[in-house]
Amino acid sequence: ASGELSYGQALTFLAAQLTAGLGVLLSLPHTAYTFQVGAASLPLVVAYPLMKRFTNWPQLVLGMTFNWGAIVGWASVHGSIDWSVVAPLYGSGIAWTLVYDTLYAHQDKVDDRKLGLKSTALHFADRTKPILNGFSALAVANWMAAGYALEFTSPLYYCGCAAAYLHLVWQVQTADLDNPPNLAQRFKSNNYVGAIVFASCVAGNLTAAAV
């Protein structure tokens, strides 16, 4: 948008990114099946950059696109998809994305409004916090549902999910929706949410294996 890159440079960068992504996809186990699952995300990948012009929910499309990796990851490990696990895992990622990217979008809402672009930040407006609290609850419910489907019985997993949920609640409740530095800090803090969920999954796997 700033004009610092030429179209040729942008296309070269895009080609490099696509080539790297294809290389990763082809290196995964169960290559043919995983490739098909990964390729199925291409309509979302193509559509997402246009969504801010056509829908109030571009963050939903981002969540659907970004979290497709959960489906690809399961397919590459197992050579199949167990939707009892993958569906709630995918759903939790989408709900989580809606939380953090709506907070992020509030940083851009003034410019987006001027440019005629859409976002959940503009769409939710004064209802942002209660709506994001709902998506936070949906995320933790789906994390727990995925653990249950995997027969995780250790309280460590579910306590970890609860801790991640509390972090999301903290982000939402302390967010100043008109203060970009405040919002940027909360957006960046989602690495802690990811670390908590990851550690919970490791604990759940280890305790399930020990039974």
Side-chain angles (χ1 to χ4, degrees):
S2 67
E4 293 183 12
L5 291 177
S6 67
Y7 283 112
Q9 290 172 319
L11 288 173
T12 300
F13 179 74
L14 176 62
Q17 294 293 302
L18 292 173
T19 301
L22 179 62
V24 171
L25 194 58
L26 294 177
S27 71
L28 295 174
H30 305 289
T31 303
Y33 182 71
T34 304
F35 180 84
Q36 292 173 22
V37 174
S41 70
L42 287 177
L44 288 170
V45 173
V46 172
Y48 169 66
L50 306 174
M51 289 298 100
K52 291 189 76 169
R53 298 188 179 277
F54 297 106
T55 177
N56 291 322
W57 292 81
Q59 281 69 30
L60 173 62
V61 182
L62 173 65
M64 295 169 65
T65 306
F66 190 67
N67 291 284
W68 198 269
I71 305 175
V72 174
W74 185 277
S76 70
V77 171
H78 298 278
S80 63
I81 298 175
D82 181 349
W83 288 108
S84 70
V85 178
V86 175
L89 186 61
Y90 184 51
S92 68
I94 294 172
W96 180 21
T97 302
L98 278 161
V99 175
Y100 67 69
D101 207 57
T102 297
L103 292 178
Y104 185 89
H106 270 281
Q107 299 177 88
D108 302 326
K109 62 187 175 185
V110 174
D111 290 335
D112 284 348
R113 189 180 289 112
K114 289 178 181 177
L115 294 169
L117 301 177
K118 304 175 187 295
S119 72
T120 49
L122 292 172
H123 184 54
F124 297 163
D126 292 340
R127 300 169 296 149
T128 290
K129 289 193 176 185
I131 292 173
L132 295 190
N133 280 329
F135 282 125
S136 297
L138 185 62
V140 71
N142 276 282
W143 282 326
M144 289 184 175
Y148 180 81
L150 286 166
E151 299 183 350
F152 287 174
T153 58
S154 170
L156 291 174
Y157 175 75
Y158 299 97
C159 288
C161 290
Y165 168 69
L166 291 175
H167 195 292
L168 291 177
V169 170
W170 169 81
Q171 289 182 46
V172 173
Q173 293 304 114
T174 64
D176 181 344
L177 301 180
D178 297 310
N179 183 334
N182 171 280
L183 294 168
Q185 182 186 45
R186 274 134 193 82
F187 174 78
K188 293 175 182 177
S189 75
N190 280 279
N191 59 356
Y192 296 115
V193 177
I196 293 168
V197 175
F198 176 74
S200 301
C201 290
V202 171
N205 269 307
L206 290 176
T207 52
V211 173

